[in-house]
Coordinates of all heavy atoms in Angstrom, one line a residue:
V4 N -21.9 -18.1 -40.4 CA -20.6 -18.5 -40.8 C -19.6 -17.8 -40.0 O -19.7 -16.6 -39.9 CB -20.4 -18.3 -42.3 CG1 -18.9 -18.5 -42.8 CG2 -21.3 -19.2 -43.2
G9 N -7.2 -19.0 -39.6 CA -6.5 -20.1 -39.0 C -7.4 -21.0 -38.1 O -8.3 -20.4 -37.4
L10 N -7.3 -22.3 -38.1 CA -8.1 -23.1 -37.2 C -7.8 -22.9 -35.8 O -8.7 -22.9 -34.9 CB -7.8 -24.6 -37.6 CG -8.5 -25.6 -36.7 CD1 -10.1 -25.4 -36.8 CD2 -8.2 -27.0 -37.2
D19 N -16.1 -20.4 -27.5 CA -17.3 -20.0 -26.7 C -18.4 -19.4 -27.5 O -19.6 -19.7 -27.3 CB -16.9 -19.0 -25.6 CG -16.0 -19.7 -24.6 OD1 -15.9 -20.9 -24.4 OD2 -15.2 -18.9 -23.9
L33 N -18.0 -23.3 -40.2 CA -16.7 -22.7 -40.0 C -15.8 -22.8 -41.3 O -15.9 -23.8 -42.0 CB -16.0 -23.6 -38.9 CG -16.7 -23.7 -37.5 CD1 -15.9 -24.6 -36.6 CD2 -17.0 -22.3 -37.0
A37 N -6.9 -24.6 -45.2 CA -6.4 -26.0 -45.0 C -5.0 -26.1 -44.4 O -4.7 -27.0 -43.7 CB -6.5 -26.8 -46.3
K47 N -11.6 -30.8 -31.6 CA -12.3 -29.8 -30.7 C -13.5 -29.1 -31.4 O -14.2 -28.4 -30.7 CB -11.3 -28.8 -30.1 CG -10.3 -29.5 -29.2 CD -9.3 -28.4 -28.7 CE -8.3 -29.1 -27.8 NZ -7.3 -28.2 -27.3
D58 N -8.3 -23.1 -49.7 CA -7.0 -22.9 -50.1 C -6.6 -21.4 -50.0 O -7.1 -20.6 -50.8 CB -6.8 -23.4 -51.5 CG -5.4 -23.3 -52.0 OD1 -4.4 -23.3 -51.2 OD2 -5.2 -23.2 -53.2
M59 N -5.9 -21.1 -48.9 CA -5.5 -19.7 -48.7 C -4.3 -19.7 -47.8 O -4.2 -20.5 -46.9 CB -6.7 -19.0 -47.9 CG -6.4 -17.5 -47.7 SD -5.7 -17.0 -46.1 CE -7.2 -16.8 -45.1
P85 N -26.0 -18.3 -45.7 CA -26.0 -17.9 -44.3 C -26.8 -16.6 -44.1 O -26.9 -15.8 -45.0 CB -24.6 -17.7 -43.9 CG -23.9 -17.3 -45.2 CD -24.6 -18.1 -46.3
F89 N -19.5 -13.8 -40.0 CA -18.5 -13.1 -39.1 C -17.1 -13.4 -39.8 O -16.7 -14.5 -40.0 CB -18.4 -13.7 -37.7 CG -19.6 -13.3 -36.9 CD1 -20.7 -14.2 -36.8 CD2 -19.6 -12.1 -36.2 CE1 -21.8 -13.8 -36.0 CE2 -20.7 -11.8 -35.4 CZ -21.8 -12.6 -35.3
Y98 N -11.8 -10.4 -48.5 CA -12.4 -11.2 -49.6 C -13.7 -11.8 -49.2 O -14.6 -12.0 -50.0 CB -11.4 -12.3 -50.0 CG -10.1 -11.6 -50.5 CD1 -8.9 -11.6 -49.8 CD2 -10.1 -10.9 -51.7 CE1 -7.8 -11.0 -50.2 CE2 -9.0 -10.2 -52.2 CZ -7.8 -10.3 -51.4 OH -6.7 -9.6 -51.9
L106 N -23.4 -11.2 -52.6 CA -24.6 -12.1 -52.3 C -25.6 -11.5 -51.4 O -26.6 -12.2 -51.0 CB -24.0 -13.5 -51.8 CG -23.2 -14.2 -52.8 CD1 -22.4 -15.4 -52.1 CD2 -24.0 -14.8 -53.9
V114 N -11.7 -6.6 -36.2 CA -10.3 -6.2 -36.3 C -9.7 -6.3 -34.9 O -10.0 -5.4 -34.0 CB -10.2 -4.7 -36.8 CG1 -8.8 -4.3 -36.9 CG2 -10.9 -4.6 -38.2
F121 N -0.6 -2.1 -41.9 CA -0.5 -0.7 -41.6 C 0.9 -0.3 -41.4 O 1.2 0.9 -41.1 CB -1.4 -0.4 -40.3 CG -2.8 -0.3 -40.6 CD1 -3.6 -1.4 -40.5 CD2 -3.4 0.9 -41.0 CE1 -5.0 -1.4 -40.8 CE2 -4.7 1.0 -41.4 CZ -5.5 -0.2 -41.2
S127 N 2.7 -3.1 -52.4 CA 1.8 -4.1 -51.9 C 1.0 -3.7 -50.6 O -0.1 -4.1 -50.4 CB 2.5 -5.5 -51.7 OG 3.4 -5.4 -50.7
G138 N -13.1 -3.2 -48.2 CA -13.8 -4.3 -47.5 C -14.5 -3.9 -46.2 O -15.7 -4.2 -46.0
N149 N -10.2 -2.4 -29.0 CA -9.7 -1.2 -28.2 C -10.1 0.1 -29.0 O -10.3 0.1 -30.2 CB -8.2 -1.3 -27.9 CG -7.4 -1.3 -29.2 OD1 -7.4 -0.3 -29.9 ND2 -6.6 -2.4 -29.4
L163 N -17.2 3.7 -41.1 CA -18.0 4.8 -40.6 C -18.2 4.6 -39.2 O -18.4 3.5 -38.7 CB -19.4 4.8 -41.4 CG -19.3 5.0 -42.9 CD1 -20.7 4.9 -43.5 CD2 -18.7 6.4 -43.2

Side-chain angles (χ1 to χ4, degrees):
V4 169
L10 177 57
D19 291 340
L33 305 178
K47 295 180 180 179
D58 183 25
M59 185 265 272
F89 288 96
Y98 301 108
L106 294 166
V114 179
F121 283 90
S127 65
N149 63 61
L163 298 175

